[in-house]
């Protein structure tokens, strides 16, 4: 029971940092010009690629090797499953858009934004599970302070990395015409999967540990698909051609530094 409580508190912290990131939506103008929009789309793409590498794929490879699994096979398979899911979602959304166009209706958000929110939400699932399992193992023997300090460090690292991700969800929603309050709420709720799956993982820590590499790679596949399919093309539609590229570089560097420094 202690493990579940600690897992909840640890993932509640990571969720709270996402909420802080989403709060940035209140400090920008409602109307965002095209160049600023391209800059931020590039930034979101950079954040997601760096997170995919350092928060998902690298830890997935390391965990697979610790489990004595064939790391390249598990990671490749999980990655392709993530891509397959987004291909399926992409096809469904295109069909829905065509049907709504025939009825002269409009989706509440663009396909790009819907897939971005979906990918970041999916990526929060294995991160929450990792924190939950870390605290569950620490709770088994609280005298092992190094295990507990490792769980706290993991929660802190993932939490800080969640800050730009909260922005990456809420800002595009604002640009879609959502109110600042609604964009903030959705941006914050994109990380609610962390405490939910963190507690579930703590309850069944041993079983989850074995499939963790697959889940991490799966989340990476969804994020990379969205970046290449949606964010990078949209980030280059502004008047200044390089603004999206510069945003990508900044986002990638920010997330890489956070991942490496806090990982």
């Amino acid at each position: 029971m202690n493990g579940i409580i600690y897992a909840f508190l640890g993932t509640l912290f990571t969720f709270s940092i996402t909420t802080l990131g989403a709060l940035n939506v209140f400090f920008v103008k409602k109307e965002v010009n095209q160049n600023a929009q391209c800059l931020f789309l590039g930034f979101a793409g950079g954040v997601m690629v760096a997170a995919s590498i350092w928060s998902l794929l690298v830890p997935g490879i390391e965990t697979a090797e610790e489990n004595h699994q064939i790391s390249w096979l598990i990671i490749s398979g999980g990655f392709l499953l993530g891509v397959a899911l987004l291909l399926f979602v992409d096809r469904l959304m295109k069909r829905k858009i065509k049907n709504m166009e025939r009825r002269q209706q409009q989706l509440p958000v663009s396909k790009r934004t819907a897939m971005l929110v979906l990918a970041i939400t999916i990526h929060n699932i294995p991160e929450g599970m990792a924190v939950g399992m870390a605290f569950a193992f620490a709770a088994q023997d609280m005298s092992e302070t190094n295990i507990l300090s490792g769980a706290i460090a993991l929660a802190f690292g993932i939490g800080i990395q969640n800050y730009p991700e909260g922005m990456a969800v809420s800002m595009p929603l604002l640009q879609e015409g959502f109110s600042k309050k609604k964009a903030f709420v959705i941006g914050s709720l994109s990380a609610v999967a962390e405490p939910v799956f963190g507690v579930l993982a703590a309850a069944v820590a041993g079983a989850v540990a074995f499939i963790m590499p697959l889940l991490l790679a799966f989340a990476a596949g969804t994020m990379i698909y969205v970046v290449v399919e949606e964010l990078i093309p949209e980030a280059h539609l502004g008047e200044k051609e390089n603004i999206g590229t510069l945003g990508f570089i900044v986002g990638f560097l920010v997330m890489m530094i956070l991942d490496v420094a806090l990982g």
Side-chain angles (χ1 to χ4, degrees):
M1 189 56 137
N2 281 342
I4 291 174
I5 293 170
Y6 284 129
F8 175 71
L9 292 175
T11 50
L12 187 63
F13 168 76
T14 61
F15 167 76
S16 300
I17 300 297
T18 304
T19 299
L20 286 177
L23 270 173
N24 283 278
V25 78
F26 291 107
F27 305 106
V28 296
K29 293 179 180 179
K30 177 82 174 182
E31 294 297 324
V32 183
N33 67 44
Q34 191 177 38
N35 285 330
Q37 185 174 344
C38 290
L39 179 69
F40 191 78
L41 287 173
F43 177 85
V47 164
M48 291 171 70
V49 169
S52 296
I53 296 168
W54 281 283
S55 293
L56 300 172
L57 292 175
V58 171
I61 292 167
E62 291 171 350
T63 306
E65 289 173 351
E66 288 171 7
N67 292 343
H68 305 292
Q69 297 166 328
I70 304 172
S71 58
W72 65 266
L73 182 62
I74 295 291
I75 298 304
S76 298
F79 189 91
L80 289 173
L81 283 173
V83 171
L85 172 67
L86 266 289
L87 276 169
F88 177 71
V89 171
D90 198 0
R91 183 170 294 182
L92 280 182
M93 292 194 71
K94 284 176 180 175
R95 190 178 300 167
K96 186 171 181 65
I97 289 168
K98 284 181 181 178
N99 289 337
M100 293 186 80
E101 283 175 348
R102 287 194 199 106
R103 299 172 192 163
Q104 296 184 332
Q105 296 174 321
Q106 249 188 337
L107 279 172
V109 294
S110 68
K111 181 168 71 76
R112 178 202 73 215
T113 301
M115 293 184 72
L116 185 150
V117 173
L118 176 64
I120 290 184
T121 302
I122 288 172
H123 129 275
N124 282 324
I125 293 172
E127 288 196 347
M129 292 172 78
V131 174
M133 285 192 299
F135 278 98
F137 291 135
Q140 290 174 5
D141 187 358
M142 296 301 289
S143 64
E144 293 287 341
T145 54
N146 61 320
I147 299 177
L148 179 59
S149 61
I152 292 170
L154 177 65
F156 182 77
I158 288 178
I160 299 302
Q161 293 159 19
N162 281 358
Y163 186 86
E165 290 169 6
M167 294 170 58
V169 174
S170 60
M171 296 295 191
L173 290 169
L174 180 68
Q175 293 156 18
E176 295 276 356
F178 280 62
S179 68
K180 290 186 176 184
K181 184 177 178 181
K182 190 173 282 189
F184 162 72
V185 170
I186 296 172
S188 177
L189 289 179
S190 68
V192 78
E194 291 194 355
V196 171
F197 283 89
V199 168
L200 288 173
V204 289
V208 172
F210 189 75
I211 63 168
M212 198 65 193
L214 188 74
L215 293 173
L216 290 166
F218 176 85
T222 64
M223 291 181 75
I224 294 296
Y225 180 92
V226 171
V227 171
V228 176
E229 177 72 12
E230 302 289 342
L231 298 188
I232 290 178
E234 293 275 352
H236 289 88
L237 296 178
E239 297 171 3
K240 296 181 180 179
E241 294 179 0
N242 295 331
I243 196 79
T245 302
L246 294 174
F248 182 95
I249 291 167
V250 171
F252 186 90
L253 284 174
V254 167
M255 200 65 182
M256 180 188 71
I257 290 167
L258 289 174
D259 279 342
V260 175
L262 301 172

